[in-house]
Amino acid sequence: DTGVSQNPRHKITKRGQNVTFRCDPISEHNRLYWYRQTLGQGPEFLTYFQNEAQLEKSRLLSDRFSAERPKGSFSTLEIQRTEQGDSAMYLCASSLGLAVETQYFGPGTRLLVL
Amino acid sequence: AQTVTQSQPEMSVQEAETVTLSCTYDTSENNYYLFWYKQPPSRQMILVIRQEAYKQQNATENRFSVNFQKAAKSFSLKISDSQLGDTAMYFCAFISDSGGSNYKLTFGKGTLLTVNP
């Protein structure tokens, strides 16, 4: 399968713990995006990378969130000191090139903070 | 800031019939793209169809077609010959084509479509 993959698919954690999610984009895609989707809502943009450079961060991304894409390939999204309000589906997407390209989504990581 | 509105939280249709999902958007920009994504119960988002705002011709993709009305800022999705596998949440999304913003998709809240046998 050459689509976008995300791991883990599900994560249950206790409030205050740190969690890290991984996204592997489609191999030749330069852009990688993170979105968050809460129940009954459409996805909301969090951040994006052009190769290894993080070019934009939403105000939704508090200081407890950090994302990296160290070699311009896979990306990680870490949430420190999780809160119950962080419970959501975290979606990763990737696209090719500099122009407006279709974004291809992964299956998501569903986070539940108890 | 752009907004996308889907006014139909839920819809249902009988198998083999036609259904239209509505989407309106608000933007001051002239160059942009619009998308319909499908999110089946397994939760992976799949592109259904894409429309460039500069194109007057409505996009079609097999049983899926759009009615793009730029002046009215309307972008509806028509599904013909509905199939059980079309049951999913459908999201309308907007992305600007201006150099500084051509990375962020803005989504509506979605329409849950159920196709009944």
Side-chain angles (χ1 to χ4, degrees):
Chain A
D1 183 42
T2 57
V4 178
S5 62
Q6 292 186 247
N7 288 289
R9 295 290 306 275
H10 303 273
K11 179 72 177 178
I12 300 174
T13 191
K14 293 182 179 179
R15 189 176 54 183
Q17 298 295 304
N18 298 344
V19 294
T20 300
F21 311 141
R22 176 178 170 127
C23 171
D24 288 88
I26 294 171
S27 60
E28 65 269 24
H29 283 187
N30 296 323
R31 286 189 171 183
L32 185 146
Y33 314 81
W34 285 98
Y35 291 81
R36 181 170 67 188
Q37 185 178 18
T38 53
L39 204 59
Q41 303 292 323
E44 296 175 290
F45 171 83
L46 292 178
T47 188
Y48 99 104
F49 293 83
Q50 176 76 38
N51 298 313
E52 67 275 8
Q54 187 175 19
L55 298 184
E56 183 67 24
K57 291 171 60 173
S58 163
R59 277 172 279 184
L60 293 174
L61 218 60
S62 76
D63 291 344
R64 297 183 297 105
F65 288 72
S66 63
E68 294 183 343
R69 194 183 182 197
K71 297 184 179 179
S73 57
F74 72 92
S75 175
T76 58
L77 177 67
E78 181 183 15
I79 309 174
Q80 296 182 327
R81 304 180 304 282
T82 51
E83 302 173 355
Q84 289 183 325
D86 297 332
S87 294
M89 175 76 85
Y90 290 84
L91 296 170
C92 176
S94 69
S95 70
L96 177 64
L98 298 174
V100 176
E101 297 282 349
T102 297
Q103 295 183 22
Y104 295 89
F105 284 81
T109 295
R110 181 174 293 283
L111 173 66
L112 178 60
V113 182
L114 300 176
Chain B
Q2 290 81 21
T3 58
V4 176
T5 302
Q6 294 179 249
S7 58
Q8 306 151 314
E10 294 186 36
M11 293 190 72
S12 63
V13 64
Q14 292 298 121
E15 198 175 5
E17 294 187 346
T18 296
V19 64
T20 298
L21 308 184
S22 300
C23 172
T24 58
Y25 59 94
D26 188 25
T27 184
S28 58
E29 300 194 18
N30 195 48
N31 299 319
Y32 50 88
Y33 293 72
L34 295 161
F35 302 82
W36 279 97
Y37 279 91
K38 167 186 176 181
Q39 194 173 37
S42 64
R43 307 289 285 180
Q44 180 140 17
M45 197 93 66
I46 303 165
L47 176 70
V48 175
I49 201 164
R50 161 186 167 132
Q51 174 80 44
E52 292 84 350
Y54 64 85
K55 289 187 177 179
Q56 292 187 342
Q57 185 173 7
N58 289 325
T60 62
E61 195 70 43
N62 301 316
R63 298 182 295 107
F64 299 88
S65 62
V66 298
N67 183 4
F68 173 48
Q69 303 288 330
K70 190 172 184 180
K73 296 180 181 174
S74 170
F75 182 61
S76 61
L77 174 69
K78 185 172 85 171
I79 306 174
S80 303
D81 185 26
S82 297
Q83 300 176 0
L84 296 178
D86 294 334
T87 292
M89 184 71 85
Y90 287 81
F91 290 100
C92 177
F94 169 103
I95 193 166
S96 164
D97 195 16
S98 67
S101 304
N102 64 349
Y103 54 85
K104 182 174 82 169
L105 280 166
T106 299
F107 286 86
K109 290 188 175 182
T111 296
L112 178 61
L113 175 67
T114 302
V115 180
N116 298 309

